[in-house]
Amino acid sequence: MTTDIIAELSARFPPQAVITQHEDLLAYSYDGTPMLQQLPRAAVLVNSREEVAALLALASKHGTPVVTRGSGTGLSGGSVPLEGCIVLCTARMNRVLELDTDNLTIMVEPGVINNEVAMRADAVGLFYPPDPGSMKVSTIGGNVSENSGGLRGLKYGVTRDYVMGLEVVLATGETFFTGNKCVKDVAGYSLKDIFIGSEGTLGVVTKILLKLIPKPAARKTLLAIYERMDEAAATVSAIIAAKIIPCTMEFLDRTTIRCIENYSKVGLPLDCEAILLLESDGHPAAVEEEAKRMEQIAREHGARSISLAKDVEEATKLMTARRMAIPAMARVAPTTILEDATVPRSKLPDMVRFVQKTADKYKLTVGTFGHFGDGNLHPTFLANERNPEEIHRVHQAVTEIFSYAVELGGTISGEHGIGLTKKSFLPGAIGELNVRILGELKRAFDPKGILNPGKIFDQLRSPNDAAARSPAN
Amino acid sequence: MSSSHDSLRTLDYSVIQQCMHCGFCLPTCPTYDATHLERNSPRGRIALMRAIADDRMELTRAFADEMYFCLGCLACMTACPAGVEYSQLFETSRAMAEKSAVLSNPTRRWTRRLMLKGLFTRPRLLRLVGRLLYFYQTTGLQKLFRRLGLVKLLPSRIQQLEPQSPAVRAKFSHQLIAPVETPQNGIIRYRVGLLTGCVQDLVFSNINRDTADVLLANGCEVHTPPVQFCCGSLHGHNGESETSRVLARRNLDLFDIEGLDAIITNAAGCGSHLKTYDRLLAEDKRYAERAAIWSTKCKDISEFLVQIGFRAPTAKPANLPIDKLTYHEACHLCHGQKITVQPRRILKSIPGVRLTELAESTWCCGSAGIYNIIQPAMSQQLLSRKLGHIANTGAAIVATANPGCHLQIENGAKATGSNIQVLHPVSLLAIAYRTE
Ligand SMILES: Cc1cc2nc3c(=O)[nH]c(=O)nc-3n(C[C@H](O)[C@H](O)[C@H](O)COP(=O)(O)OP(=O)(O)OC[C@H]3O[C@@H](n4cnc5c(N)ncnc54)[C@H](O)[C@@H]3O)c2cc1C
Ligand code: SF4
Ligand code: SF4
């Protein structure tokens, strides 16, 4: 290596953009995932597509790995650095570029926060449905790269369903745009779909064209309280069987309820086993009707009480409180290990019971909540990372839960991605051939393997690439 | 006597471990918002603290600088669902930084000793200095000093501050409030102690009088020791935890804690600290018990008034544009003490008041204790943002309940040629009562 990459970066970028001080790097050594930490070699706060391209070209030249980072709220270690890597942080690329109210689209830079898009859309009577719990913090770039879901997945789908186009910088520094404002488009492979959920392993997204939809005119939010978990699960099945697709069906168990109430004080009952948060939106008459029927079904299936949020403010409060679930669980235990197993909706009651049984078997405390409407569960183990024996038991429990989810026809991750934490489970979940195809795709886009290498799967490099990449820098 | 709270390494590890790095605090942090550097965020700062606690990092100058770039506004605590005690971590970090002396240089040492140890621990001396400042400001000496350009001889930091130096009141609290005052009708519902503060005492002694009047009007017998000690918040927030404990003990000695129903403060920054005397003195065998009682009885004036069901005034204050009013929330009231509805309820009880909500009302104004002195650039940026929002409300009066914010906004408004008035909610209530 003739010149050092840091020296070249410092020459190319404005003075404060290239960060190498230890104290600064420590703050880029983690994301939202527990127990993962690694110092990068440097971090660069990029400000434009050109800067991203320049950084990647240099990294390619030096064979230095690059880990892209949005807000670092990922829950599978996607933006956790690798030794010797450079963190490319998009936090300053946070401009909303265009809001097109004729074609109902919004074009944003990757560092724009999800909530900003939601608010901009709302201001002009439009709606951006994907609402991950982290919506006030996480970036659109991160959402796209994890294909994030949220509380409205059942009716409105996930991030993928709203991405109409992407600008991507490849590992070489070359830039292209895939997609457009057309609803229909079959010109060539749907490249954008390959980048959605690719966890920063194929390219760096520098612009996102998102679809917006008209804002539903009405919304009703119900809170149903149960003495038994099974009754809540049965309610969900019955609502779907009655051909009602509410926009939200969130489930919270006793442990989760306590943690949330402790922080948010929205008045959740502390003496019940489970609650369902149901929301219907759309045309006022339809919403009225749907809410009524859901209330009736909930009652028939044993709900102890059902209350209707009296206004938008109260409904928002309830949803906001629900979004706090993950961090609120951290109140009761030093380390919260959260999983993301997802099963077909009809198998939910089985899965919830299995989680509890497994926790008991390994003498662990678990809180379970999740998006019941779409079968996405978040069993959260409450443990202490300073107790290796306990952490080992958590891993055993998680392994069993994953196997069971796959057995039921489900998946090991509904929305948090594979990253580092679930990589070892991937072949078991999707099969060796699938993993090999992923690897070949990766090699096609990133032959030197500099983009977030080692995430999702360990990259098999073709023999003639090996020389091109030196681990040092 | 030092305490385990003076070092991140001896602090209960669970406090540090509480942060699960979800990042929910990021969008509420003014310094992160300004730079988008993770290190300038609560989560980043906690990661640095943890690295020190784990012995993975030395306490460096960069760390200490970072702790002084933090405003201590505690917006992150309001945002944090995981219940991270950021204020404790932050105070411990600053204390540790001071002990390590990584920031030490002769001027800093000298000013800190003069201000924190010399001045703000000696109430009589502070009042004397206040008196001299009053003399300077009222005799024309200030004008002369400025005209002769002598200000330029001062060090640049002080030069910037000179026009900001608050107008000292002619009379301090003890000259306005008798040690014990009883309601006119003689009916005593509560017996309360009144804390007069330092800045409040020198610059806003009228607010202390207003507070006493409002308490009297609501059936309280008011006990106001004439010589009081600084509450120690300035010291606690600036790494002088030992001094802050000394001051806490002195204040505990000053009041009949068992006999009083409440101890009232009207300065948000003080209140936020006063309420933590229990934690501060938890390891002090002699004082721990009384400190615990103190913490349960210490109340912000608006909190107390709403709690006792204060009487709504019947008259509209004359000559005040109270139909154009907005409310700025002091960080240490809304984030530090979670008091948000009470001051609004007081304001809205006044006939004729029309309260226009301020955008980002809980965003720090940049005063932040002595932050405007040590980080003038960031402070100014926050002040401009605040003044912009205030201007957008079209308000003629800004109500706020902390002397730091009060001065910051008043000075900022003056500098931009605005004639907006800044008033404490309790003053507005007092004026309304007086008009009855
Ligand atoms: C409290 C909490 C609640 C959450 N709730 C949900 C939820 O309800 N649903 C859900 O799906 N997720 C949820 N998450 C997970 C997380 O917020 C999402 O995965 C989010 O999309 C990550 O966004 P980020 O900006 O933080 O990205 P990061 O964590 O920084 O990065 C995530 C991944 O995307 C890659 N990446 C980021 N930006 C780019 C880019 N511009 N180009 C290419 N690659 C990029 C990174 O390399 C990394 O692999 C939650 C997390 C927390 C902490
Ligand atoms: S301080 Fe609280 S809100 Fe911020 S990252 Fe830590 S746990 Fe999350
Ligand atoms: S106290 Fe204020 S400035 Fe400091 S980390 Fe918290 S939010 Fe940021």
Side-chain angles (χ1 to χ4, degrees), chain A residues 19 21 23-24 26-28 30-33 45 69 71-73 92 136-137 263 324 327 330-331 334 384-386, chain B residues 13 17-18 21-24 27 35-39 43-44 47-48 50 56-57 60 62 78-82:
Chain A
I19 287 166
Q21 199 178 23
E23 288 80 359
D24 277 299
L26 257 172
Y28 291 107
Y30 51 80
D31 68 358
T33 322
L45 278 120
R69 177 188 175 94
S71 288
T73 66
R92 285 181 184 164
K136 287 192 179 156
V137 200
Y263 167 68
M324 302 295 176
R331 288 184 162 248
N384 188 342
E385 64 197 90
R386 297 185 133 196
Chain B
Y13 193 72
Q17 230 182 346
Q18 199 70 41
H21 29 105
C22 66
F24 270 40
T35 66
H36 281 101
L37 271 179
E38 179 82 16
R39 172 183 141 178
R43 184 174 62 171
L48 299 188
R50 187 165 180 170
R56 281 181 284 120
M57 186 176 108
T60 56
T78 300
C80 177

Side-chain angles (χ1 to χ4, degrees), chain A residues 226 231 235 238 293-303 306:
Chain A
Y226 296 87
E231 296 166 345
T235 303
R293 284 181 59 206
M294 290 201 297
E295 183 176 345
Q296 193 188 354
I297 295 173
R299 227 177 267 295
E300 284 164 13
H301 287 82
I306 301 157

Side-chain angles (χ1 to χ4, degrees), chain B residues 156-176:
Chain B
S156 67
R157 280 274 168 87
I158 310 278
Q159 250 185 61
Q160 284 169 9
L161 289 173
E162 200 274 347
Q164 285 179 30
S165 66
V168 174
R169 291 270 155 177
K171 286 190 170 156
F172 301 152
S173 305
H174 64 300
Q175 294 158 308
L176 297 172

